[in-house]
Amino acid sequence: IYTQKIFTGSRELLIDKVSQALSAKRFEHVLRVEEMALQLAEKWHVDAELASIAALTHDYAKERSDEDFLREIEKKQLDRDLINWGNNIWHGVVGAEMVKDELGIAHEDILNAIRQHTTGATVMTKLSQILYMADYIEAGRDFPGVEEVRTLAFDDLAASVGWQTAHTLTFLLTQKVTIYPGTLLTYNTWSVDK
Ligand code: GDP
Ligand code: FE
Ligand code: FE
Ligand code: FE
């Protein structure tokens, strides 16, 4: 079903490669994210092939070692501040480089959606908003308000991005973990009444 030469091979081949990089449990999450991303893409008139590829690859690097990520930051001369963070931040921002090099996916909109899927960003394409939301509201997710935000994502996509960011930030504050500056910039852009 892939016709655009973004990935050299079929969806089945991509699924094969992603499944080999992940535990069964995380791979099932990835398939549920794809299902939700395709539904949101149809609703918001985003290309289904882009949504499928972005969703299938968004957590591709999640199970890589810290050493792998640090090596990649060095190799690609990424922002030096990244070394101060960890897997939660790296698997999207740095993981996109692994998707590019190892899976041969060079489509910048897809790579940016992967980079932004955990923290969001001030500027997000509709594809990026869809991946950010699909990761959060896929059928296996269960948290207070999930039904509300699922409905919102199909009613007002940008508002749902703001909803997620505000709720994630609130949760992170209760955990007393470090807040990635990009998460705060996303909050200021998408969650604050203007
Ligand atoms: P997953 O890869 O499907 O589990 O989901 P995500 O990539 O969206 O998120 C990974 C983890 O990063 C989640 O536990 C988030 O709560 C966490 N996270 C998101 N933003 C931040 C942040 O600013 N700081 C920290 N420390 N963690 C964050
Ligand atoms: Fe993730
Ligand atoms: Fe997410
Ligand atoms: Fe995910």
Side-chain angles (χ1 to χ4, degrees):
I1 24 165
Y2 290 164
T3 60
Q4 299 177 51
K5 305 208 171 103
I6 297 164
F7 173 69
T8 309
S10 62
R11 173 175 173 275
E12 287 63 40
L13 179 61
L14 183 57
I15 280 178
D16 209 59
K17 288 178 185 267
V18 170
S19 69
Q20 286 177 42
L22 300 176
S23 69
K25 197 169 165 227
R26 182 158 287 112
F27 177 64
E28 284 159 24
H29 156 70
V30 163
L31 291 179
R32 293 191 301 266
V33 174
E34 186 201 29
E35 172 65 30
M36 183 58 72
L38 287 170
Q39 288 181 38
L40 287 167
E42 185 177 347
K43 166 70 194 186
W44 298 112
H45 310 290
V46 164
D47 186 271
E49 187 167 327
L50 297 189
S52 169
I53 295 171
L56 290 176
T57 57
H58 83 281
D59 277 338
Y60 170 73
K62 183 108 176 180
E63 294 174 15
R64 302 289 279 260
S65 68
D66 290 0
E67 291 68 32
D68 270 15
F69 285 117
L70 291 166
R71 212 178 0 253
E72 193 72 19
I73 291 164
E74 180 71 20
K75 178 177 142 199
K76 294 290 182 87
Q77 298 281 291
L78 303 181
D79 184 350
R80 293 293 293 165
D81 174 63
L82 280 169
I83 61 177
N84 300 311
W85 297 86
N87 182 281
N88 281 350
I89 302 303
W90 292 337
H91 81 278
V93 176
V94 186
E97 302 299 321
M98 294 159 171
V99 168
K100 187 179 187 173
D101 295 352
E102 297 172 20
L103 301 178
I105 293 165
H107 196 293
E108 271 304 313
D109 291 351
I110 291 174
L111 296 177
N112 281 330
I114 296 168
R115 290 181 180 114
Q116 297 173 352
H117 89 266
T118 305
T119 64
T122 55
V123 178
M124 298 170 80
T125 63
K126 268 200 283 180
L127 177 68
S128 186
Q129 293 174 56
I130 282 170
L131 181 59
Y132 183 70
M133 293 316 302
D135 188 32
Y136 191 58
I137 64 172
E138 55 93 343
R141 300 288 197 196
D142 188 18
F143 53 83
V146 69
E147 295 290 358
E148 181 192 339
V149 68
R150 273 192 193 117
T151 302
L152 187 58
F154 285 88
D155 191 50
D156 184 338
L157 183 61
S160 74
V161 169
W163 196 106
Q164 174 180 171
T165 306
H167 283 254
T168 298
L169 183 54
T170 301
F171 167 74
L172 292 169
L173 292 173
T174 70
Q175 302 304 108
K176 301 209 177 186
V177 295
T178 49
I179 308 298
Y180 188 67
T183 300
L184 293 173
L185 295 176
T186 305
Y187 174 80
N188 288 344
T189 303
W190 296 87
S191 308
V192 173
D193 291 334
K194 290 282 161 48

